[in-house]
PDB file of all heavy atoms in Angstrom:
ATOM      1  N   ALA A   1      47.176  49.032  31.284  1.00  0.00           N
ATOM      2  CA  ALA A   1      47.771  50.368  31.171  1.00  0.00           C
ATOM      3  C   ALA A   1      47.556  50.965  29.785  1.00  0.00           C
ATOM      4  O   ALA A   1      47.369  52.186  29.642  1.00  0.00           O
ATOM      5  CB  ALA A   1      49.263  50.299  31.494  1.00  0.00           C
ATOM      6  N   ASP A   2      47.588  50.118  28.748  1.00  0.00           N
ATOM      7  CA  ASP A   2      47.357  50.621  27.398  1.00  0.00           C
ATOM      8  C   ASP A   2      45.931  51.141  27.245  1.00  0.00           C
ATOM      9  O   ASP A   2      45.692  52.186  26.629  1.00  0.00           O
ATOM     10  CB  ASP A   2      47.620  49.521  26.368  1.00  0.00           C
ATOM     11  CG  ASP A   2      49.089  49.151  26.255  1.00  0.00           C
ATOM     12  OD1 ASP A   2      49.932  49.882  26.806  1.00  0.00           O
ATOM     13  OD2 ASP A   2      49.391  48.127  25.612  1.00  0.00           O
ATOM     14  N   TYR A   3      44.978  50.376  27.802  1.00  0.00           N
ATOM     15  CA  TYR A   3      43.583  50.811  27.711  1.00  0.00           C
ATOM     16  C   TYR A   3      43.370  52.100  28.493  1.00  0.00           C
ATOM     17  O   TYR A   3      42.709  53.029  28.024  1.00  0.00           O
ATOM     18  CB  TYR A   3      42.654  49.717  28.232  1.00  0.00           C
ATOM     19  CG  TYR A   3      41.186  50.062  28.121  1.00  0.00           C
ATOM     20  CD1 TYR A   3      40.557  50.106  26.880  1.00  0.00           C
ATOM     21  CD2 TYR A   3      40.438  50.362  29.250  1.00  0.00           C
ATOM     22  CE1 TYR A   3      39.216  50.430  26.770  1.00  0.00           C
ATOM     23  CE2 TYR A   3      39.100  50.682  29.153  1.00  0.00           C
ATOM     24  CZ  TYR A   3      38.492  50.715  27.915  1.00  0.00           C
ATOM     25  OH  TYR A   3      37.169  51.049  27.807  1.00  0.00           O
ATOM     26  N   LEU A   4      43.943  52.183  29.674  1.00  0.00           N
ATOM     27  CA  LEU A   4      43.812  53.405  30.470  1.00  0.00           C
ATOM     28  C   LEU A   4      44.457  54.585  29.749  1.00  0.00           C
ATOM     29  O   LEU A   4      43.946  55.713  29.790  1.00  0.00           O
ATOM     30  CB  LEU A   4      44.438  53.198  31.842  1.00  0.00           C
ATOM     31  CG  LEU A   4      43.729  52.183  32.750  1.00  0.00           C
ATOM     32  CD1 LEU A   4      44.542  51.944  34.015  1.00  0.00           C
ATOM     33  CD2 LEU A   4      42.323  52.649  33.093  1.00  0.00           C
ATOM     34  N   GLY A   5      45.562  54.326  29.071  1.00  0.00           N
ATOM     35  CA  GLY A   5      46.182  55.380  28.279  1.00  0.00           C
ATOM     36  C   GLY A   5      45.288  55.856  27.150  1.00  0.00           C
ATOM     37  O   GLY A   5      45.170  57.054  26.879  1.00  0.00           O
ATOM     38  N   LEU A   6      44.648  54.902  26.476  1.00  0.00           N
ATOM     39  CA  LEU A   6      43.737  55.257  25.394  1.00  0.00           C
ATOM     40  C   LEU A   6      42.579  56.106  25.907  1.00  0.00           C
ATOM     41  O   LEU A   6      42.246  57.146  25.327  1.00  0.00           O
ATOM     42  CB  LEU A   6      43.212  53.988  24.733  1.00  0.00           C
ATOM     43  CG  LEU A   6      42.126  54.156  23.669  1.00  0.00           C
ATOM     44  CD1 LEU A   6      42.639  54.996  22.504  1.00  0.00           C
ATOM     45  CD2 LEU A   6      41.637  52.797  23.178  1.00  0.00           C
ATOM     46  N   ILE A   7      41.968  55.682  27.018  1.00  0.00           N
ATOM     47  CA  ILE A   7      40.843  56.434  27.568  1.00  0.00           C
ATOM     48  C   ILE A   7      41.289  57.825  28.020  1.00  0.00           C
ATOM     49  O   ILE A   7      40.609  58.830  27.779  1.00  0.00           O
ATOM     50  CB  ILE A   7      40.200  55.667  28.738  1.00  0.00           C
ATOM     51  CG1 ILE A   7      39.614  54.344  28.248  1.00  0.00           C
ATOM     52  CG2 ILE A   7      39.120  56.506  29.417  1.00  0.00           C
ATOM     53  CD1 ILE A   7      38.611  54.479  27.126  1.00  0.00           C
ATOM     54  N   GLY A   8      42.442  57.892  28.671  1.00  0.00           N
ATOM     55  CA  GLY A   8      42.944  59.191  29.099  1.00  0.00           C
ATOM     56  C   GLY A   8      43.165  60.134  27.936  1.00  0.00           C
ATOM     57  O   GLY A   8      42.828  61.328  28.010  1.00  0.00           O
ATOM     58  N   ASN A   9      43.696  59.618  26.842  1.00  0.00           N
ATOM     59  CA  ASN A   9      43.933  60.461  25.681  1.00  0.00           C
ATOM     60  C   ASN A   9      42.632  60.850  24.984  1.00  0.00           C
ATOM     61  O   ASN A   9      42.507  61.968  24.483  1.00  0.00           O
ATOM     62  CB  ASN A   9      44.872  59.752  24.712  1.00  0.00           C
ATOM     63  CG  ASN A   9      46.311  59.768  25.204  1.00  0.00           C
ATOM     64  OD1 ASN A   9      46.694  60.591  26.025  1.00  0.00           O
ATOM     65  ND2 ASN A   9      47.112  58.844  24.699  1.00  0.00           N
ATOM     66  N   LEU A  10      41.672  59.923  24.947  1.00  0.00           N
ATOM     67  CA  LEU A  10      40.359  60.278  24.395  1.00  0.00           C
ATOM     68  C   LEU A  10      39.747  61.446  25.166  1.00  0.00           C
ATOM     69  O   LEU A  10      39.286  62.431  24.577  1.00  0.00           O
ATOM     70  CB  LEU A  10      39.417  59.075  24.440  1.00  0.00           C
ATOM     71  CG  LEU A  10      39.595  57.988  23.383  1.00  0.00           C
ATOM     72  CD1 LEU A  10      38.756  56.761  23.741  1.00  0.00           C
ATOM     73  CD2 LEU A  10      39.196  58.504  22.004  1.00  0.00           C
ATOM     74  N   LEU A  11      39.743  61.318  26.486  1.00  0.00           N
ATOM     75  CA  LEU A  11      39.159  62.387  27.305  1.00  0.00           C
ATOM     76  C   LEU A  11      39.960  63.674  27.175  1.00  0.00           C
ATOM     77  O   LEU A  11      39.390  64.776  27.119  1.00  0.00           O
ATOM     78  CB  LEU A  11      39.092  61.936  28.764  1.00  0.00           C
ATOM     79  CG  LEU A  11      38.141  60.769  29.059  1.00  0.00           C
ATOM     80  CD1 LEU A  11      38.274  60.334  30.515  1.00  0.00           C
ATOM     81  CD2 LEU A  11      36.698  61.140  28.746  1.00  0.00           C
ATOM     82  N   GLY A  12      41.272  63.540  27.108  1.00  0.00           N
ATOM     83  CA  GLY A  12      42.109  64.724  26.980  1.00  0.00           C
ATOM     84  C   GLY A  12      41.881  65.490  25.697  1.00  0.00           C
ATOM     85  O   GLY A  12      42.038  66.713  25.650  1.00  0.00           O
ATOM     86  N   GLN A  13      41.492  64.782  24.644  1.00  0.00           N
ATOM     87  CA  GLN A  13      41.224  65.431  23.362  1.00  0.00           C
ATOM     88  C   GLN A  13      39.773  65.897  23.219  1.00  0.00           C
ATOM     89  O   GLN A  13      39.407  66.481  22.206  1.00  0.00           O
ATOM     90  CB  GLN A  13      41.570  64.487  22.219  1.00  0.00           C
ATOM     91  CG  GLN A  13      43.052  64.205  22.093  1.00  0.00           C
ATOM     92  CD  GLN A  13      43.846  65.455  21.760  1.00  0.00           C
ATOM     93  OE1 GLN A  13      43.561  66.150  20.790  1.00  0.00           O
ATOM     94  NE2 GLN A  13      44.842  65.754  22.576  1.00  0.00           N
ATOM     95  N   GLY A  14      38.942  65.608  24.219  1.00  0.00           N
ATOM     96  CA  GLY A  14      37.569  66.113  24.201  1.00  0.00           C
ATOM     97  C   GLY A  14      36.519  65.136  23.743  1.00  0.00           C
ATOM     98  O   GLY A  14      35.349  65.511  23.606  1.00  0.00           O
ATOM     99  N   TYR A  15      36.891  63.871  23.522  1.00  0.00           N
ATOM    100  CA  TYR A  15      35.899  62.873  23.127  1.00  0.00           C
ATOM    101  C   TYR A  15      35.051  62.440  24.321  1.00  0.00           C
ATOM    102  O   TYR A  15      35.513  62.449  25.463  1.00  0.00           O
ATOM    103  CB  TYR A  15      36.589  61.619  22.573  1.00  0.00           C
ATOM    104  CG  TYR A  15      37.209  61.777  21.213  1.00  0.00           C
ATOM    105  CD1 TYR A  15      38.571  62.053  21.081  1.00  0.00           C
ATOM    106  CD2 TYR A  15      36.447  61.635  20.062  1.00  0.00           C
ATOM    107  CE1 TYR A  15      39.154  62.190  19.830  1.00  0.00           C
ATOM    108  CE2 TYR A  15      37.023  61.769  18.803  1.00  0.00           C
ATOM    109  CZ  TYR A  15      38.376  62.054  18.696  1.00  0.00           C
ATOM    110  OH  TYR A  15      38.938  62.185  17.450  1.00  0.00           O
ATOM    111  N   ALA A  16      33.820  62.038  24.047  1.00  0.00           N
ATOM    112  CA  ALA A  16      33.037  61.238  24.989  1.00  0.00           C
ATOM    113  C   ALA A  16      33.234  59.775  24.602  1.00  0.00           C
ATOM    114  O   ALA A  16      33.442  59.463  23.427  1.00  0.00           O
ATOM    115  CB  ALA A  16      31.568  61.615  24.937  1.00  0.00           C
ATOM    116  N   PHE A  17      33.181  58.881  25.606  1.00  0.00           N
ATOM    117  CA  PHE A  17      33.366  57.476  25.257  1.00  0.00           C
ATOM    118  C   PHE A  17      32.384  56.593  26.015  1.00  0.00           C
ATOM    119  O   PHE A  17      31.867  56.955  27.075  1.00  0.00           O
ATOM    120  CB  PHE A  17      34.807  57.016  25.521  1.00  0.00           C
ATOM    121  CG  PHE A  17      35.081  56.607  26.940  1.00  0.00           C
ATOM    122  CD1 PHE A  17      35.016  55.283  27.326  1.00  0.00           C
ATOM    123  CD2 PHE A  17      35.413  57.564  27.891  1.00  0.00           C
ATOM    124  CE1 PHE A  17      35.265  54.904  28.634  1.00  0.00           C
ATOM    125  CE2 PHE A  17      35.677  57.199  29.197  1.00  0.00           C
ATOM    126  CZ  PHE A  17      35.598  55.868  29.576  1.00  0.00           C
ATOM    127  N   VAL A  18      32.106  55.445  25.410  1.00  0.00           N
ATOM    128  CA  VAL A  18      31.303  54.398  26.020  1.00  0.00           C
ATOM    129  C   VAL A  18      32.057  53.087  25.840  1.00  0.00           C
ATOM    130  O   VAL A  18      33.003  52.998  25.051  1.00  0.00           O
ATOM    131  CB  VAL A  18      29.895  54.293  25.384  1.00  0.00           C
ATOM    132  CG1 VAL A  18      29.087  55.554  25.644  1.00  0.00           C
ATOM    133  CG2 VAL A  18      29.995  54.024  23.875  1.00  0.00           C
ATOM    134  N   GLN A  19      31.647  52.069  26.590  1.00  0.00           N
ATOM    135  CA  GLN A  19      32.211  50.726  26.423  1.00  0.00           C
ATOM    136  C   GLN A  19      31.050  49.767  26.579  1.00  0.00           C
ATOM    137  O   GLN A  19      30.603  49.480  27.682  1.00  0.00           O
ATOM    138  CB  GLN A  19      33.281  50.482  27.484  1.00  0.00           C
ATOM    139  CG  GLN A  19      34.325  49.417  27.091  1.00  0.00           C
ATOM    140  CD  GLN A  19      33.830  47.994  27.192  1.00  0.00           C
ATOM    141  OE1 GLN A  19      33.205  47.494  26.248  1.00  0.00           O
ATOM    142  NE2 GLN A  19      34.093  47.349  28.307  1.00  0.00           N
ATOM    143  N   ASN A  20      30.506  49.298  25.439  1.00  0.00           N
ATOM    144  CA  ASN A  20      29.238  48.574  25.454  1.00  0.00           C
ATOM    145  C   ASN A  20      29.369  47.053  25.345  1.00  0.00           C
ATOM    146  O   ASN A  20      28.375  46.349  25.434  1.00  0.00           O
ATOM    147  CB  ASN A  20      28.330  49.095  24.347  1.00  0.00           C
ATOM    148  CG  ASN A  20      27.762  50.468  24.673  1.00  0.00           C
ATOM    149  OD1 ASN A  20      27.467  50.766  25.825  1.00  0.00           O
ATOM    150  ND2 ASN A  20      27.626  51.314  23.662  1.00  0.00           N
ATOM    151  N   GLY A  21      30.570  46.543  25.107  1.00  0.00           N
ATOM    152  CA  GLY A  21      30.769  45.107  25.236  1.00  0.00           C
ATOM    153  C   GLY A  21      30.477  44.252  24.026  1.00  0.00           C
ATOM    154  O   GLY A  21      30.430  43.027  24.138  1.00  0.00           O
ATOM    155  N   SER A  22      30.289  44.852  22.852  1.00  0.00           N
ATOM    156  CA  SER A  22      30.095  44.070  21.627  1.00  0.00           C
ATOM    157  C   SER A  22      30.683  44.844  20.460  1.00  0.00           C
ATOM    158  O   SER A  22      30.179  45.912  20.098  1.00  0.00           O
ATOM    159  CB  SER A  22      28.615  43.788  21.356  1.00  0.00           C
ATOM    160  OG  SER A  22      28.435  43.272  20.034  1.00  0.00           O
ATOM    161  N   ALA A  23      31.759  44.314  19.876  1.00  0.00           N
ATOM    162  CA  ALA A  23      32.387  44.989  18.739  1.00  0.00           C
ATOM    163  C   ALA A  23      31.450  45.059  17.545  1.00  0.00           C
ATOM    164  O   ALA A  23      31.362  46.086  16.866  1.00  0.00           O
ATOM    165  CB  ALA A  23      33.677  44.266  18.359  1.00  0.00           C
ATOM    166  N   ALA A  24      30.745  43.961  17.265  1.00  0.00           N
ATOM    167  CA  ALA A  24      29.835  43.951  16.117  1.00  0.00           C
ATOM    168  C   ALA A  24      28.758  45.019  16.262  1.00  0.00           C
ATOM    169  O   ALA A  24      28.443  45.746  15.310  1.00  0.00           O
ATOM    170  CB  ALA A  24      29.197  42.572  15.967  1.00  0.00           C
ATOM    171  N   MET A  25      28.197  45.143  17.467  1.00  0.00           N
ATOM    172  CA  MET A  25      27.175  46.157  17.704  1.00  0.00           C
ATOM    173  C   MET A  25      27.773  47.562  17.670  1.00  0.00           C
ATOM    174  O   MET A  25      27.146  48.511  17.177  1.00  0.00           O
ATOM    175  CB  MET A  25      26.489  45.898  19.038  1.00  0.00           C
ATOM    176  CG  MET A  25      25.641  44.646  19.058  1.00  0.00           C
ATOM    177  SD  MET A  25      24.094  44.871  18.160  1.00  0.00           S
ATOM    178  CE  MET A  25      23.185  45.866  19.350  1.00  0.00           C
ATOM    179  N   GLY A  26      28.982  47.719  18.203  1.00  0.00           N
ATOM    180  CA  GLY A  26      29.625  49.022  18.155  1.00  0.00           C
ATOM    181  C   GLY A  26      29.881  49.483  16.740  1.00  0.00           C
ATOM    182  O   GLY A  26      29.657  50.645  16.387  1.00  0.00           O
ATOM    183  N   LEU A  27      30.357  48.574  15.895  1.00  0.00           N
ATOM    184  CA  LEU A  27      30.608  48.925  14.500  1.00  0.00           C
ATOM    185  C   LEU A  27      29.311  49.232  13.759  1.00  0.00           C
ATOM    186  O   LEU A  27      29.252  50.161  12.936  1.00  0.00           O
ATOM    187  CB  LEU A  27      31.374  47.797  13.814  1.00  0.00           C
ATOM    188  CG  LEU A  27      32.814  47.617  14.311  1.00  0.00           C
ATOM    189  CD1 LEU A  27      33.381  46.274  13.867  1.00  0.00           C
ATOM    190  CD2 LEU A  27      33.694  48.763  13.834  1.00  0.00           C
ATOM    191  N   ALA A  28      28.256  48.481  14.038  1.00  0.00           N
ATOM    192  CA  ALA A  28      26.960  48.783  13.426  1.00  0.00           C
ATOM    193  C   ALA A  28      26.468  50.153  13.857  1.00  0.00           C
ATOM    194  O   ALA A  28      25.878  50.905  13.054  1.00  0.00           O
ATOM    195  CB  ALA A  28      25.940  47.706  13.809  1.00  0.00           C
ATOM    196  N   ALA A  29      26.725  50.518  15.114  1.00  0.00           N
ATOM    197  CA  ALA A  29      26.309  51.833  15.605  1.00  0.00           C
ATOM    198  C   ALA A  29      27.072  52.954  14.909  1.00  0.00           C
ATOM    199  O   ALA A  29      26.512  54.023  14.633  1.00  0.00           O
ATOM    200  CB  ALA A  29      26.506  51.918  17.121  1.00  0.00           C
ATOM    201  N   VAL A  30      28.356  52.730  14.599  1.00  0.00           N
ATOM    202  CA  VAL A  30      29.103  53.717  13.813  1.00  0.00           C
ATOM    203  C   VAL A  30      28.498  53.836  12.418  1.00  0.00           C
ATOM    204  O   VAL A  30      28.285  54.942  11.896  1.00  0.00           O
ATOM    205  CB  VAL A  30      30.592  53.331  13.723  1.00  0.00           C
ATOM    206  CG1 VAL A  30      31.332  54.288  12.783  1.00  0.00           C
ATOM    207  CG2 VAL A  30      31.240  53.350  15.097  1.00  0.00           C
ATOM    208  N   ALA A  31      28.204  52.693  11.802  1.00  0.00           N
ATOM    209  CA  ALA A  31      27.699  52.691  10.428  1.00  0.00           C
ATOM    210  C   ALA A  31      26.396  53.460  10.285  1.00  0.00           C
ATOM    211  O   ALA A  31      26.146  54.095   9.254  1.00  0.00           O
ATOM    212  CB  ALA A  31      27.522  51.258   9.928  1.00  0.00           C
ATOM    213  N   CYS A  32      25.546  53.417  11.304  1.00  0.00           N
ATOM    214  CA  CYS A  32      24.252  54.100  11.185  1.00  0.00           C
ATOM    215  C   CYS A  32      24.245  55.448  11.891  1.00  0.00           C
ATOM    216  O   CYS A  32      23.184  56.065  12.027  1.00  0.00           O
ATOM    217  CB  CYS A  32      23.118  53.214  11.682  1.00  0.00           C
ATOM    218  SG  CYS A  32      23.126  52.880  13.437  1.00  0.00           S
ATOM    219  N   GLY A  33      25.405  55.931  12.349  1.00  0.00           N
ATOM    220  CA  GLY A  33      25.509  57.281  12.865  1.00  0.00           C
ATOM    221  C   GLY A  33      25.075  57.475  14.298  1.00  0.00           C
ATOM    222  O   GLY A  33      24.953  58.617  14.758  1.00  0.00           O
ATOM    223  N   ARG A  34      24.891  56.398  15.047  1.00  0.00           N
ATOM    224  CA  ARG A  34      24.520  56.549  16.456  1.00  0.00           C
ATOM    225  C   ARG A  34      25.713  56.960  17.302  1.00  0.00           C
ATOM    226  O   ARG A  34      25.559  57.678  18.294  1.00  0.00           O
ATOM    227  CB  ARG A  34      23.914  55.236  16.975  1.00  0.00           C
ATOM    228  CG  ARG A  34      22.596  54.904  16.302  1.00  0.00           C
ATOM    229  CD  ARG A  34      22.087  53.522  16.675  1.00  0.00           C
ATOM    230  NE  ARG A  34      20.893  53.198  15.896  1.00  0.00           N
ATOM    231  CZ  ARG A  34      20.340  51.988  15.817  1.00  0.00           C
ATOM    232  NH1 ARG A  34      20.869  50.984  16.515  1.00  0.00           N
ATOM    233  NH2 ARG A  34      19.274  51.784  15.078  1.00  0.00           N
ATOM    234  N   ILE A  35      26.888  56.464  16.952  1.00  0.00           N
ATOM    235  CA  ILE A  35      28.133  56.926  17.539  1.00  0.00           C
ATOM    236  C   ILE A  35      29.081  57.242  16.384  1.00  0.00           C
ATOM    237  O   ILE A  35      28.757  56.986  15.216  1.00  0.00           O
ATOM    238  CB  ILE A  35      28.748  55.898  18.507  1.00  0.00           C
ATOM    239  CG1 ILE A  35      29.080  54.586  17.785  1.00  0.00           C
ATOM    240  CG2 ILE A  35      27.811  55.643  19.684  1.00  0.00           C
ATOM    241  CD1 ILE A  35      29.804  53.564  18.662  1.00  0.00           C
ATOM    242  N   ASP A  36      30.256  57.769  16.712  1.00  0.00           N
ATOM    243  CA  ASP A  36      31.128  58.294  15.665  1.00  0.00           C
ATOM    244  C   ASP A  36      32.394  57.480  15.440  1.00  0.00           C
ATOM    245  O   ASP A  36      33.061  57.648  14.425  1.00  0.00           O
ATOM    246  CB  ASP A  36      31.497  59.740  16.002  1.00  0.00           C
ATOM    247  CG  ASP A  36      30.257  60.581  16.232  1.00  0.00           C
ATOM    248  OD1 ASP A  36      29.545  60.853  15.253  1.00  0.00           O
ATOM    249  OD2 ASP A  36      29.981  60.920  17.400  1.00  0.00           O
ATOM    250  N   GLY A  37      32.729  56.619  16.397  1.00  0.00           N
ATOM    251  CA  GLY A  37      33.915  55.806  16.230  1.00  0.00           C
ATOM    252  C   GLY A  37      33.878  54.583  17.120  1.00  0.00           C
ATOM    253  O   GLY A  37      33.166  54.548  18.134  1.00  0.00           O
ATOM    254  N   PHE A  38      34.642  53.580  16.719  1.00  0.00           N
ATOM    255  CA  PHE A  38      34.838  52.369  17.528  1.00  0.00           C
ATOM    256  C   PHE A  38      36.308  52.012  17.473  1.00  0.00           C
ATOM    257  O   PHE A  38      36.919  52.018  16.393  1.00  0.00           O
ATOM    258  CB  PHE A  38      34.013  51.191  17.011  1.00  0.00           C
ATOM    259  CG  PHE A  38      34.296  49.917  17.768  1.00  0.00           C
ATOM    260  CD1 PHE A  38      33.585  49.610  18.913  1.00  0.00           C
ATOM    261  CD2 PHE A  38      35.313  49.055  17.366  1.00  0.00           C
ATOM    262  CE1 PHE A  38      33.875  48.461  19.651  1.00  0.00           C
ATOM    263  CE2 PHE A  38      35.606  47.907  18.086  1.00  0.00           C
ATOM    264  CZ  PHE A  38      34.877  47.612  19.233  1.00  0.00           C
ATOM    265  N   CYS A  39      36.885  51.684  18.631  1.00  0.00           N
ATOM    266  CA  CYS A  39      38.277  51.255  18.637  1.00  0.00           C
ATOM    267  C   CYS A  39      38.484  50.209  19.716  1.00  0.00           C
ATOM    268  O   CYS A  39      37.801  50.193  20.738  1.00  0.00           O
ATOM    269  CB  CYS A  39      39.220  52.433  18.861  1.00  0.00           C
ATOM    270  SG  CYS A  39      38.960  53.343  20.407  1.00  0.00           S
ATOM    271  N   GLU A  40      39.416  49.309  19.462  1.00  0.00           N
ATOM    272  CA  GLU A  40      39.828  48.331  20.457  1.00  0.00           C
ATOM    273  C   GLU A  40      41.233  47.875  20.104  1.00  0.00           C
ATOM    274  O   GLU A  40      41.599  47.801  18.924  1.00  0.00           O
ATOM    275  CB  GLU A  40      38.866  47.145  20.535  1.00  0.00           C
ATOM    276  CG  GLU A  40      39.168  46.238  21.710  1.00  0.00           C
ATOM    277  CD  GLU A  40      38.000  45.348  22.118  1.00  0.00           C
ATOM    278  OE1 GLU A  40      36.846  45.718  21.872  1.00  0.00           O
ATOM    279  OE2 GLU A  40      38.259  44.288  22.711  1.00  0.00           O
ATOM    280  N   LEU A  41      42.018  47.567  21.105  1.00  0.00           N
ATOM    281  CA  LEU A  41      43.428  47.266  20.901  1.00  0.00           C
ATOM    282  C   LEU A  41      43.694  45.831  20.478  1.00  0.00           C
ATOM    283  O   LEU A  41      44.782  45.528  19.981  1.00  0.00           O
ATOM    284  CB  LEU A  41      44.219  47.600  22.172  1.00  0.00           C
ATOM    285  CG  LEU A  41      44.182  49.072  22.580  1.00  0.00           C
ATOM    286  CD1 LEU A  41      44.884  49.273  23.920  1.00  0.00           C
ATOM    287  CD2 LEU A  41      44.798  49.955  21.510  1.00  0.00           C
ATOM    288  N   SER A  42      42.745  44.931  20.677  1.00  0.00           N
ATOM    289  CA  SER A  42      42.947  43.545  20.235  1.00  0.00           C
ATOM    290  C   SER A  42      41.601  42.868  20.026  1.00  0.00           C
ATOM    291  O   SER A  42      40.863  42.648  20.981  1.00  0.00           O
ATOM    292  CB  SER A  42      43.765  42.759  21.262  1.00  0.00           C
ATOM    293  OG  SER A  42      44.000  41.433  20.805  1.00  0.00           O
ATOM    294  N   LEU A  43      41.308  42.547  18.778  1.00  0.00           N
ATOM    295  CA  LEU A  43      40.072  41.849  18.418  1.00  0.00           C
ATOM    296  C   LEU A  43      40.377  40.780  17.384  1.00  0.00           C
ATOM    297  O   LEU A  43      41.342  40.885  16.618  1.00  0.00           O
ATOM    298  CB  LEU A  43      39.023  42.821  17.869  1.00  0.00           C
ATOM    299  CG  LEU A  43      38.301  43.677  18.907  1.00  0.00           C
ATOM    300  CD1 LEU A  43      37.553  44.814  18.225  1.00  0.00           C
ATOM    301  CD2 LEU A  43      37.329  42.837  19.730  1.00  0.00           C
ATOM    302  N   LYS A  44      39.511  39.772  17.327  1.00  0.00           N
ATOM    303  CA  LYS A  44      39.658  38.688  16.356  1.00  0.00           C
ATOM    304  C   LYS A  44      38.758  38.936  15.140  1.00  0.00           C
ATOM    305  O   LYS A  44      37.808  39.725  15.191  1.00  0.00           O
ATOM    306  CB  LYS A  44      39.303  37.357  17.013  1.00  0.00           C
ATOM    307  CG  LYS A  44      40.192  36.988  18.204  1.00  0.00           C
ATOM    308  CD  LYS A  44      41.610  36.661  17.761  1.00  0.00           C
ATOM    309  CE  LYS A  44      42.478  36.180  18.933  1.00  0.00           C
ATOM    310  NZ  LYS A  44      42.066  34.870  19.439  1.00  0.00           N
ATOM    311  N   SER A  45      39.030  38.210  14.085  1.00  0.00           N
ATOM    312  CA  SER A  45      38.316  38.417  12.819  1.00  0.00           C
ATOM    313  C   SER A  45      36.815  38.228  12.953  1.00  0.00           C
ATOM    314  O   SER A  45      36.020  38.973  12.364  1.00  0.00           O
ATOM    315  CB  SER A  45      38.868  37.474  11.752  1.00  0.00           C
ATOM    316  OG  SER A  45      38.758  36.111  12.168  1.00  0.00           O
ATOM    317  N   TRP A  46      36.399  37.206  13.718  1.00  0.00           N
ATOM    318  CA  TRP A  46      34.969  36.933  13.836  1.00  0.00           C
ATOM    319  C   TRP A  46      34.223  38.053  14.568  1.00  0.00           C
ATOM    320  O   TRP A  46      33.027  38.217  14.393  1.00  0.00           O
ATOM    321  CB  TRP A  46      34.740  35.595  14.520  1.00  0.00           C
ATOM    322  CG  TRP A  46      35.612  35.364  15.714  1.00  0.00           C
ATOM    323  CD1 TRP A  46      35.461  35.871  16.971  1.00  0.00           C
ATOM    324  CD2 TRP A  46      36.791  34.542  15.751  1.00  0.00           C
ATOM    325  NE1 TRP A  46      36.466  35.441  17.795  1.00  0.00           N
ATOM    326  CE2 TRP A  46      37.300  34.614  17.085  1.00  0.00           C
ATOM    327  CE3 TRP A  46      37.452  33.750  14.815  1.00  0.00           C
ATOM    328  CZ2 TRP A  46      38.439  33.936  17.485  1.00  0.00           C
ATOM    329  CZ3 TRP A  46      38.600  33.073  15.211  1.00  0.00           C
ATOM    330  CH2 TRP A  46      39.083  33.170  16.525  1.00  0.00           C
ATOM    331  N   ASP A  47      34.957  38.839  15.370  1.00  0.00           N
ATOM    332  CA  ASP A  47      34.329  39.954  16.062  1.00  0.00           C
ATOM    333  C   ASP A  47      33.977  41.097  15.118  1.00  0.00           C
ATOM    334  O   ASP A  47      33.020  41.837  15.377  1.00  0.00           O
ATOM    335  CB  ASP A  47      35.273  40.530  17.136  1.00  0.00           C
ATOM    336  CG  ASP A  47      35.666  39.536  18.197  1.00  0.00           C
ATOM    337  OD1 ASP A  47      34.768  38.860  18.737  1.00  0.00           O
ATOM    338  OD2 ASP A  47      36.871  39.444  18.506  1.00  0.00           O
TER     339      ASP A  47
END
């Protein structure tokens, strides 16, 4: 329910979203400007 709430609010505010399955790759994509943000509700340090 928390994840569905997050997605609903993202869409409600006008964001586009993807879910690509790798935090490290998602963060690298933010760093090089391919996407604009990365978020997740629970991740570990190694991720």
Side-chain angles (χ1 to χ4, degrees):
D2 291 349
Y3 182 71
L4 293 173
L6 174 61
I7 297 304
N9 285 339
L10 283 169
L11 294 174
Q13 292 296 306
Y15 288 97
F17 84 96
V18 295
Q19 204 284 85
N20 287 324
S22 168
M25 292 285 285
L27 292 165
V30 174
C32 67
R34 294 172 186 168
I35 61 175
D36 306 289
F38 175 88
C39 59
E40 189 160 334
L41 298 175
S42 182
L43 283 166
K44 299 291 185 69
S45 58
W46 44 78
D47 300 312

